[in-house]
Amino acid sequence: SLGALSAPRVQLPSPSLLSPMGKGGDSGLRETCTSTVYALGRSVEGAPIAEARFRPQRKKSDGPLLIGVRGNWYDLTKYLARHPGGDVLLEFAGRDATAQFVAYHSDSVLKHWKPVGTYKWDRQAPGGDVFEGAWLSLSEKFERDGLYKTSTTWIVSRFSLVALFLAMAIGGSRLYAYGELSPVVAHLCFVAGFIGLAGVWQQSGFLMHDFMHSHVFHNRAIDH
């Protein structure tokens, strides 16, 4: 084992002291102040806070690039240059990156990597950050609720809508350019073609987003 990760702890004042109104002050103001403290990366009752992340300059003498996921260390030294996300990996050198991994990767990615060590992983505060733990719990709930599953009906409807808009763009522009129409009808065809072209770009953007994030087939080789 490479040891447990640690982070500094802070003790915050009670909610009543966080309120500008003092004890007995407006509860809405207390909630606002408490939310501000949370936004600063702190937590109540002495819970740990994460250390500030930075992207250091890495040297060959620094040793292996170890990144932790769910209590396992992975050596990504040779993979750094090929990582699609670039050198963002350096921000998590020697740190737990479970929340970041779950946010941007499928668990199937880990099938290609063999752990080189272990560390004590706190599921409630991975990497010493209770907010990442809360995010992981929320993500798992979304997974159980099926919110990450691809809707075939939705994908087909998007492609159908793109085809409809494309037909409007081509048909409207051709009728406007070559049709023997009255001025009113010609202008309506022009507007229809314009709306169709805008719709093609807008809906194609939705599809491109889902494919690039591998949210359609959940397979990077196919989606890309």
Side-chain angles (χ1 to χ4, degrees):
S1 172
L2 297 179
L5 299 178
S6 61
R9 293 175 177 270
V10 293
Q11 182 69 43
L12 299 181
S14 64
S16 61
L17 296 180
L18 290 173
S19 170
M21 304 292 291
K23 292 185 178 181
D26 181 78
S27 59
L29 289 176
R30 286 200 299 272
E31 292 176 0
T32 300
C33 293
T34 304
S35 299
T36 301
V37 174
Y38 272 97
L40 291 174
R42 297 180 174 85
S43 54
V44 296
E45 298 179 356
I49 60 174
E51 299 172 358
R53 296 194 179 101
F54 61 96
R55 197 169 301 181
Q57 295 295 323
R58 184 169 180 78
K59 303 176 182 178
K60 292 184 178 180
S61 59
D62 290 340
L65 174 59
L66 301 180
I67 294 180
V69 177
R70 296 193 180 96
N72 291 315
W73 289 113
Y74 295 90
D75 185 353
L76 302 182
T77 308
K78 296 181 179 179
Y79 183 66
L80 177 61
R82 297 184 288 114
H83 181 232
D87 62 355
V88 67
L89 292 177
L90 296 177
E91 295 186 19
F92 303 96
R95 297 172 53 90
D96 179 273
T98 303
Q100 290 73 21
F101 175 84
V102 171
Y104 296 101
H105 308 80
S106 168
D107 284 343
S108 61
V109 173
L110 293 179
K111 295 179 181 179
H112 305 287
W113 299 93
K114 183 179 180 180
V116 296
T118 60
Y119 61 93
K120 184 179 179 181
W121 186 59
D122 182 359
R123 192 186 180 289
Q124 300 301 319
D129 193 329
V130 293
F131 302 101
E132 291 187 0
W135 183 90
L136 283 173
S137 297
L138 183 62
S139 178
E140 291 172 355
K141 180 181 185 303
F142 287 165
E143 183 78 33
R144 292 192 301 270
D145 293 344
L147 298 182
Y148 293 151
K149 293 182 179 179
T150 300
S151 171
T152 304
T153 303
W154 190 90
I155 294 296
V156 171
S157 70
R158 294 305 96 185
F159 274 107
S160 300
L161 198 54
V162 169
L164 175 62
F165 279 131
L166 184 60
M168 286 178 58
I170 296 175
S173 59
R174 287 186 63 84
L175 286 173
Y176 175 77
Y178 304 110
E180 296 180 0
L181 308 171
S182 66
V184 174
V185 176
H187 280 82
L188 288 176
C189 290
F190 175 83
V191 172
F194 178 82
I195 293 175
L197 182 60
V200 168
W201 281 106
Q202 191 256 2
Q203 292 299 316
S204 295
F206 272 127
L207 289 171
M208 181 181 68
H209 172 272
D210 286 351
F211 274 99
M212 292 302 292
H213 281 284
S214 297
H215 287 170
V216 180
F217 296 102
H218 302 281
N219 185 311
R220 187 182 298 273
I222 299 176
D223 285 330
H224 291 190

